[in-house]
Amino acid sequence: QVQLVESGGGLVQAGGSLRLSCAASGRTFSTYTMGWFRQAPGKDREFVAAITWSGANTYYADSVNGRFTISRDNAKNTVCLQMNSLKPEDTAVYYCAADSPAPLQPIMYGYWGQGTQVTVSS
């Protein structure tokens, strides 16, 4: 069993930055692919970024590529999402997810956090 707790969300002006963190419990964190997803009101949950267990491979949605960076620290059981050059369209609840054979597919993830709100004002 894995529990995920996100933090770092908030209100920021367009062009600003935020750093989201996800703290995971469980001894098997280092074996999991980890992902970040987001969901805006009235929209489906969408893929943002993912990182494989070793950190060797990362994946990004086209909409955030070049602005967001995902990283992990297996010794601390954490995964982070550095978000730069934020835009109003990045406004959403951001979710951390763990354990998936398909990094880009939300339905394949076994564990989810409760989400953290990110609001970008124009």
Side-chain angles (χ1 to χ4, degrees):
Q1 188 74 9
V2 175
Q3 291 186 326
L4 304 172
V5 179
E6 302 98 333
S7 61
L11 173 64
V12 64
Q13 288 188 332
S17 298
L18 282 175
R19 184 175 179 85
L20 304 183
S21 294
C22 175
S25 64
R27 295 176 294 174
T28 54
F29 171 81
S30 62
T31 67
Y32 293 149
T33 289
M34 300 295 296
W36 285 97
F37 294 80
R38 66 188 182 187
Q39 187 165 18
K43 295 187 176 181
D44 292 335
R45 190 168 297 188
E46 65 172 0
F47 168 77
V48 175
I51 186 167
T52 53
W53 68 272
S54 67
N57 295 298
T58 56
Y59 308 85
Y60 296 96
D62 290 343
S63 58
V64 307
N65 197 23
R67 299 188 297 123
F68 291 11
T69 302
I70 189 170
S71 61
R72 69 188 296 160
D73 185 337
N74 287 341
K76 296 181 179 180
N77 279 16
T78 58
V79 61
C80 294
L81 185 69
Q82 178 66 42
M83 305 186 296
N84 299 328
S85 302
L86 283 161
K87 305 175 181 180
E89 51 263 44
D90 294 318
T91 295
V93 177
Y94 283 70
Y95 297 91
C96 174
D99 190 18
S100 172
L104 278 63
Q105 300 301 323
I107 197 172
M108 300 298 290
Y109 280 80
Y111 304 98
W112 290 85
Q114 82 289 349
T116 185
Q117 176 70 45
V118 171
T119 303
V120 184
S121 63
S122 57

